Amino acid sequence: MKNQLIILLIPLLPLLGFVLLGLLGKNYLKKSAGIIATMLLLASAILSIIVAGQYFFDYGKAFDVYVKLIAWEIHWLGFTNQLSINIGVLLDPISVIMLVVVTFISLMVHIFSLGYMKGETRFATYYAYLGLFTFSMLGLVLAPNLFQMYMFWELVGISSYLLIGFYFQKPSAVAAAKKAFIVTRFADFGFLIGIIMLSYFGNSLDFITVIQNLSQPQSPAFISAAAPMFLGCSGLTWALTLIFMGGAGKSAMFPLHVWLPDAMEGPTPVSALIHAATMVVAGVFLVARLFPLYVFNGASLQIVLFVGLLSSFIAAVIACTQTDVKRILAYSTMSQIGYMMLALGVSGSSGEASLGFTAGMFHLFTHAFFKSLLFLCAGVIIHVVHSNNMNEMGGLRKQLPLTHAAFLIACLAISGIPPFAGFFSKEEILLAAYQKSKGVYLLALLTSGLTAFYMFRLYFSVFWNKPAQVSQSHATTPVSMKIPLALLLVCTVVAGFISFGSYVSADGRALASHFHLSFSLLPVAVALTGIFLAMWMYKSASGKADAMAKSMKVLYRLAHNKFYIDELYHFITQRIIFNMLGKNAERMDRKFVDGAVNELAASTMDVSKSIKHLQSGKIQQYLLFFFGGIALLLLMFIYLWK
Amino acid sequence: MLEYIFLMKQELMLSALIFLLLIIYLASNNLVTEKVLTGINGLLIANLLLGFWGNPTGNLFGNMYHTDGLIVFQKSLLNFALLVISFMAYDWLKVHRHYLEFYILMLAALLGAFYMISSRHLLMFFLGLELAGIPVALMANFDLGRKKSSEAALKYIMSSAFASAMFLFGAGFIYALTGTLDFFELQKAATANPAFLFAFIFILAGIGFKISAVPFHLWTADVYQGAPVATASYLSVVSKGSVLFVLAYLLFNVFQNIFITWRAIIILLALLSMVLGNLFALRQQNSKRFMAFSSITQMGFVLIALAAGKLMSTSALIYFILVYLFSNLAAFGVIAVVMDHTGREDINAFKGFYKKNPSLAWVFALALFSLAGIPPMAGFFGKFFLVLAVAGSVNYVILTLIALNIVLSVYYYLRIVRLMFMDDAETSLNRISVSRMPKWALWICTAGTIVTGVMSGAYEYIATLVKSVW
Amino acid sequence: MNLSLLIIVPLILAVAGLLVNSQKQVKGIALASGIAQLVLAFWLAISFMLQRKSAVSEFLFQQHFEWFRHLNIGYHIGVDGISVTMILLTAFIVLAGILVSWNVKRMSKEYFFLMQVLAIGAYGFFISLDLFTLFFFLELAVVPKFMLIGIWGSGKKEYSAMKLALMLMAASALVFVGITGLYFFSTTHGVHDFNLLTVADHPLPTDKQKIFFPFVFIGFGIFTALFPFHTWVPDGHSSAPTAASMFLAGISMKLGGYGCLRVAVYLMPAGAQFYSNAIIVLACIAILYGALVTMMQTDLKYINAYSSVSHCGFVLLGIGILTKTAINGAVLQMISHGLMTALFFAVIGMIYERTHTREVSKMGGLLKIMPFISTLFVLVGLCSLGLPGLSGFVAEVTILVGSWQRVGAYYQWATIIAAASIVVTAVYILRATAKVIMGPLKINNSLGEAALAQLDGRPAANWNERAAVYLLAGGIIAMGIAPFLVTDFIYPATDFILQQLSFK
C-alpha cells in the first residue's frame, strides 16, 4: 500500500510526543511541551482525515463493499506456526472512523488543556501521558489481531491510570486510579482468557482469519468450538462472553462500571478524552470488531444486549440522583455506551437487519462529540467555580455565554432532540430495537426520557437556579479553551447529517438512512417530557426535587447510593480477598510453610540437645557403649544371616 | 640386604630418625631448641622426599610385610601430614621442655602406622596397630600442666586397651576357625559362616575404635579436647588415615567373600557416624570438641564409600584422606594459633575474628568450606567422589540420607564462618602474628585445599595407582 | 568464541581486585570486569547467531577437556540459544549490581570479589554440558550468597543467610542424588558418564526416570522458589544488600529454572511427562498463593520477594506444561523476571538509601521528591503486572497461550488460575505504588523535616545508579517492544528439548 507511512505516522506522532516529553519534558521542554504535543497531534489528526478520505473514496471499496485491508504488518512474537502476534494496521470503516474520532477529540483536548492545565508543575508530563494515551488508543483501533488489541487495550488502561492519578498527592485520585485499573484488569483477565480460547479454536489471532475460520458451520474449527464445554455452553460462547467481559470492563458496563464515576478524579479534559469519547467506547468497538462471530453465535450477543440495556437503564437512574457534575456526566456516558451495546445486541448480520450495528457505531461517533463537549464545558465550569458540586453552582449562563450555549446544545443532542447529532443516532438505535423486540424498545425509550431529565436537571442547576455564592476568580476563559468548545459545537450540530450507513455497516455494503418522521415522534415527545420535568423541578430553587426524592424514599436512596454496588465490591475485596484469602495465605506461609522449615531446624537442635548425655565423660559408660555397639552389630548380623 | 633397605626405605628412615633423636636426647642437654627443631623438620622433609624416590614392590618377612606403589604413596601421605603437624606445632614445641620426646613418640607412632599399612598378616597388623596407638596416648598427655591432658591420655589408653582386646578376641577366633592369620590365606578361607562373621565383627570393632566410628567413638571428643592440638591433629589425620587405608585393604581383599554382610554393617556404621557426629557437632562450643565431632562425621562419609565397588571407593577414599589432611590440618592449625594467643578454646573466641585477622580467618574459612564440601575447595571433590562411589550400589533413600547429612554438616561449618565474618567481637581481639613455620604450614594446607580439587592431577594419580596395584 | 573466557576473565579480574589496595582501584577493576562480561556476552550472542545458521548441533562453541578421566568427568562446555540468553541476562545484572554497589564502603574488596565469584558460578552453570561441572558451579554460587547476605545484609541477616545457605544446599543435595542417578542408570552399556549430551542420547529407563526426576526437579525447583520450598526467598532477599538481592532473584533463581529445563526435562522426558500434572499444581499454587501473600506484605523487599515466588511459578508452569510454546514462555519469563526483579531491587535499594526505610506505611508521595526513582518504580511495577510493551507481558502471555494449547480441561483450568494472578498482581503493585509513590508526601517519620529538606536538595540519582537502572530498564523495554530479539535465540533451542520429549 502506497501510503503506509502516512498511516503509521498517525499513531507514531503521539508516541514521539510521549517519548520526547517523557524524557526531556521535565528539564528542557517545560514551557513548550503543550505546543509541541498539540502540533504533533494536529499533524496526526490531519493525516487521519486524509487516510479516512482515501479509504472511503479511493481504495477502500471493492465491488461496492468496504473491505478490511491489512495496510502493514510485521511478525512480532510467535507462539506456534499458525499462532503468532503480528503488529500491524487494519483498515476498515470502523477503524477509520475511530481514527478520525480519536485524533480529533484528542486534538481538541490538547488544545483545551493548553489553557486548562496552565501553570501545572507537571505540565510536560501531562502532555506526555496524553500522547501515550492517544498512541495506545490508535494502536487499539488499528489492531489487525486480537493480541495487538489486547496489548493496546492494556496500554490504554495504564494511560488512563496515569491520567486519573495525575494529581498524585490527592488520595482520592490515587484511589480512583487504582480502582479503575484493577476493575478493568479484572475484566481483562476474562478478555485474555477469551482471546486465548478464541485463538485456540480459530487457530489464529488475526481478526480476518479467526472470523473466517469460525463462521463456517462445516469447518472443523467451528465444530470443535461449538461443542459444549463448560456449564452447557459451547467453547465459542464462553470465548466471546469472556471477550465481552473485557469490553464491558473498559466500557463501564454493569456490573463492572464502578470505576468510571471515580475516574472523574482526573483532570477534566482527560475525562472528556478518555472517559467519555474514546477509551470507554473501546468495548463497543471490540464487539463491533468481532461482530460476525457474535451474530453467528447468538447466545453471546444476547448477553451483550442484556448487559447494554441494563447498564443504560441503571446508569440513567443513578444519574438522576447524583450531584457531582462530572459524575452525572460519567453515568450518562455509561448509559449511552449501554445504548451502543444495546444497538449491537439487537443487530443482525447483514442487510436491513444489521441496522443496529450501523446505529451503534453512529451513536459512538456522535456521542464522542457531544459528550466531550459536555465534559469540556464542565471543565470550564469547574475552572470557574472551583467545585464539582452541582448544588454549589447556579446562574452561570451570564458569565459563560459560550459555555452555556455549548452545554445546552450538547444536552439537547444527548436527549435526542432534532436536529442535533444525538437525535439521528438515537433514532436509529430505537428503531433497531423496535424491530427486534418491543420490550427492549420500551425500556430504551424510558431510558431516553430519563436521560433528558437528568441532563437538563444538571443544565438548569448549573446555569439557572439561584446564582452561586462561590468566588469566581477565573472568570475569563482563555481562548485555547474556547476554540475546542466552538469546534465541537459545530460537530455536534452537523455530525448527525452524515449518511453514516453508507460508510459503516456490518457487512460493508451501504445501508440507506432510516429516518421516519412518524417513528420519531414518540421518542422526541418522551425526551421533551423529561426536559420539561427537569425544568419544572430545577429551573428555580424550590423544594420540588426534595419532595420528589422523599416520595420515593427507598428508590431514591438506592439510586443515590448507586445500588450499593461499590459496597458490595468493597465487601468482596476487603473481606473475602484480603481478610479471608490474603491474610490466611500470609499466616499459612509464616506459620506452616516457613514454620515447617524452622521447626525442622529447631527439632534437629532438640534432638541434638536430648542426646548430649551420651557424651558423659565417664570412661565406664564409653566402654559400655563400645560393647553395646558390638552387640548391636552382632544383632544386625544375626538378622542379616536369616 | 639392599632389597630390605629398598623396600622398607620409609620405615628405616623413620627408625633412623628416632635413633638420632634418642642420641641427641641422651648426648646433650644444652641444645638450641630452634636449631634442633629446624634440623628435625629438615630431616622430615628428606624423609618425605625419599618416599617419592623409586617405586618398589615386594614382600618381606615371609609375606608378612608388603609394599607397592600405592602403599608407598599412602605412607608418603602420612609422612607429609606429620611434617605439616610438626611445622604447625613449632611454636608450641619451641617452648616445650620435652619436645624431643614428643618427636620420638610421634615418629614411633608413625612407624607403627607404616607397619600396619604394609602388613599382610593379622599379627603384624596388630603389632603395627599397637605401636601406632600407645605412643599417642603419651602424646595426649603432653600438656603437662593441664589436668585435662592427663585425663585424655588415660581415657585414650583405656579405650584403646579395650579395643585391642576386642580385636585380639576376633583375631584369635579367626585363627581358631581358619588356622591362619596370613591375609592371602584368610582371603581364601573366609566364608560366610556365623562364627567367622562373629570374629569379623570384633575385628571391625577394634578398627572402628581407631577411626572413631559410632558407636566406638565416645573417647574422641574428650581426648581431642584434652590433648594438645598437635596430638589431636595427629589423631585425626595420621592415625585415622592409616587405619582407613588398611581397612579398605582388609575389606576389599581379605573379607571380600563376606561382602554382603560387611557392606550392610559398614553402611549402618557410616550412617550412625554421620548422624550422631552431626548432631553432636551442631551445638559444640569448644573448638576442639567441635573438630572431634566433625571428624566423626567425616569418617561416616569415608565409611559409606567403602560400601561401593573396590576401585572407585579405594581411589575416592585415598583421595579424600589427602584432601581431609589439608583441610583438617589447616583448621587445627588456626585453632592452635588462636589458642596460643588467646588461651581460649571456645568457638566464640572467633567472633569478629575477620576484622583483625583477615588472612587467618580466610584460611580457617577455606578449610571449613573444604570440610563442608563446598566448591571450589578440594573437599567438594573429595566428598563428591566418595558419595558418587557409593551411589551406584545403594538405593536412593540412603543416598538422600547421606546428602541431607552433608547439608546438616554445612550448618555448623558455616556457623563458625558466620562468627568470624558477621559477628562483632566479644572482647577486643588483637592482631595475631603467626610465626614463620606455622605460617608456611597454613599456606601449604590452604594451597592444597584449593589445588588438589580443581586440578585433577592428584585424583588421577591416585586412581591410576590404585588401578595399577589392585 | 572461546567460552571459557566467560569464566577466566571474571576470575582474573576478581583476583586482581584482591591484590590492589585502594578502594578506587577495587571498584575500577570490578567495573571493568562487569563491562568486560557484558561485552563478552554480547560478543557471544552475536557470534552465536552468526554461526548457528551453518551449525549441525544446537550446542555451539563446544570445548571438551578431560578432568577426572577415571570417573568420566569432563570439563565440557557449550551453549545453545537458551544459555546464550541466560548469559546475557547474567552479564546485565552483574554490571548493574556492581554499579549499584558503588557506595559500599565496608570491606569493598571482599564484596566485589564475592559478587564476581557468584557471577562465575552463574556463567559456569549456564555453559556446562557436563553434569559434574554444572553441579560444581551450582554449589559454587551458594556460599558467596551466604557471605554477601551475612556480612553486608540488614535486618535478621544471619538467620536469613543461614536459612538460604541451608535450603540451597539441601536443594543441591537433591540435585546431587538426581545426577548420580543419571550417571549410573543412563543406558550407555556400562560406561557411566556425566556428559549431558551422552545422557540425553541414552536416557534412563522410564522407571528410573520416575525415581530421579523428582530429585532433580525439586532440587532445582527450590532454587526457583517452588512451593512449598520457597521460604528462603523472602527472608534471603529482604536481608541481602541490594546487589545481592538483584543477583539472588535475577540470576540465582534462574539457575533453578534453567536446571529444571536442561537437566530434569531434557534428560528425563518420561519423568517430566509423568510428573507434569503435579508440577502444574505446585506451579499454580505458587503463582496464586505467592500473589496473595505478596498482597499482604508491607516491606518493599518482601513484596518483591514474594512476587518473585509468583512470577517464578510461571516459569515452573511453563516447564510443567511441556508444550513448545509454554517452554518458550518459561524461558522468556526467566529473562524477563531476571531483569525486572533486579531492577525492582535496585530501585528499592535506592529508595532505602534515601529514606532509610522499606516499610510501605512509612513512605508516601515520593514522586514529588524523587521523580526519577519513582518513575522507575512505576515502570518496573508495570512490568511486573504484565503491561504490554514491557518484558513481563511477552513472557506471561506466551506461557498462558502455551498452557492452553495442552489439550484437556485440567490444563485449561491451570491456565485460568494462572491468569487470575494478573489481577492480584495488579492489586499489590498498585497498592504499593499508591502508598509509596503517590499520595501525600511522607517519609520515614524518624527522619523528620530536616532530613526531608536535605533530601530535596540531593541529586535524584547518582551516575552509577542511573547507569545501572538504564541498563536494566533498557533490557525490559527492548524485550517488551521487540521480543523477537530474544525469541530468535530461544525457539530453535526449545525444539531440541521438544524432540527429546516426543521421541522418548
Side-chain angles (χ1 to χ4, degrees), chain C residues 22 50 122 147 165 185 274 282 317 335 344 357 379 444 470 474:
Chain C
S22 85
L50 292 178
M147 306 283 274
F185 298 112
F274 184 76
L282 289 180
L317 177 69
I335 301 163
F344 213 153
T357 183
L379 177 84
N444 187 3
Y470 278 140

Side-chain angles (χ1 to χ4, degrees), chain C residues 162-455:
Chain C
M162 194 54 98
K163 185 172 179 177
L164 173 134
L166 288 185
M167 285 189 81
L168 293 189
M169 275 292 173
S172 23
L174 293 179
V175 172
F176 171 69
V177 174
I179 63 172
T180 54
L182 287 166
Y183 180 72
F184 278 106
F185 298 112
S186 157
T187 51
T188 46
H189 309 295
V191 183
H192 306 314
D193 207 331
F194 272 120
N195 193 320
L196 207 112
L197 302 178
T198 317
V199 178
D201 286 342
H202 307 274
L204 269 62
T206 307
D207 59 322
K208 294 291 179 203
Q209 289 196 20
K210 283 181 190 165
I211 292 172
F212 290 106
F213 182 84
F215 280 100
V216 177
F217 193 86
I218 295 175
F220 282 120
I222 295 175
F223 274 85
T224 187
L226 172 72
F227 177 87
F229 308 107
H230 61 270
T231 54
W232 66 272
V233 177
D235 286 330
H237 287 57
S238 55
S239 301
T242 302
S245 304
M246 291 163 69
F247 270 44
L248 272 178
I251 305 172
S252 180
M253 288 173 87
K254 305 302 158 296
L255 300 183
Y258 180 86
C260 284
L261 206 55
R262 175 70 77 232
V263 182
V265 175
Y266 185 57
L267 298 183
M268 291 182 277
Q273 267 148 0
F274 184 76
Y275 289 104
S276 164
N277 287 3
I279 297 170
I280 291 167
V281 169
L282 289 180
C284 283
I285 292 176
I287 292 172
L288 204 56
Y289 168 91
L292 282 173
V293 178
T294 315
M295 211 166 65
M296 307 310 295
Q297 301 303 318
T298 54
D299 180 304
L300 280 177
K301 272 198 165 183
Y302 271 97
I303 288 177
N304 195 21
Y306 271 112
S307 86
S308 291
V309 174
S310 176
H311 285 127
C312 284
F314 269 100
V315 174
L316 292 170
L317 177 69
I319 295 173
I321 287 282
L322 294 174
T323 61
K324 178 173 165 55
T325 315
I327 290 178
N328 285 334
V331 181
L332 286 173
Q333 174 76 347
M334 282 197 257
I335 301 163
S336 154
H337 176 257
L339 291 170
M340 170 181 92
T341 201
L343 178 56
F344 213 153
F345 275 122
V347 171
I348 292 171
M350 284 152 71
I351 291 179
Y352 180 73
E353 266 186 27
R354 287 161 178 78
T355 62
H356 302 290
T357 183
R358 293 194 308 250
E359 271 301 308
V360 168
S361 56
K362 287 186 183 166
M363 289 179 265
L366 295 187
L367 185 56
K368 191 171 164 62
I369 45 173
M370 342 173 174
F372 179 74
I373 298 171
S374 304
T375 308
L376 279 161
F377 188 95
V378 175
L379 177 84
V380 73
L382 295 179
C383 182
S384 176
L385 60 74
L387 186 76
L390 300 172
S391 60
F393 170 79
V394 174
E396 280 173 19
V397 149
T398 311
I399 293 172
L400 292 176
V401 170
S403 73
W404 191 278
Q405 279 169 358
R406 179 124 180 226
V407 183
Y410 185 85
Y411 307 105
Q412 295 172 347
W413 278 111
T415 316
I416 292 174
I417 289 170
S421 81
I422 63 170
V423 183
V424 189
T425 310
V427 173
Y428 64 71
I429 290 294
L430 294 188
R431 266 169 65 95
T433 312
K435 286 196 174 143
V436 176
I437 300 303
M438 299 174 159
L441 180 62
K442 185 167 87 172
I443 59 172
N444 187 3
N445 290 331
S446 61
L447 282 181
E449 289 294 317
L452 202 128
Q454 195 187 357
L455 209 99

Side-chain angles (χ1 to χ4, degrees), chain A residues 9 32 46 52 59 112 117 215 249 278 298 312 336 388 414 435-436 444 448 450 508 522 576 584 587 593 625:
Chain A
L9 273 180
S32 51
I46 292 169
Y59 53 72
F112 187 83
M117 298 300 283
S215 49
T278 54
S312 74
Q336 297 306 308
N388 278 6
I414 199 172
Q435 285 167 351
K436 178 86 175 183
S448 165
L450 283 172
L522 184 59
I576 296 183
N584 284 326
R587 201 170 296 153
V593 183
F625 273 104

Side-chain angles (χ1 to χ4, degrees), chain A residues 15 28 142 144 146 243 264 300 354 357 379 396 459 487 532 554:
Chain A
L15 179 66
Y28 306 103
L142 290 172
L146 279 161
I243 289 179
M264 298 302 141
S300 46
S354 71
F357 181 87
L396 289 176
Y459 165 74
L487 282 171
F532 284 120
V554 178

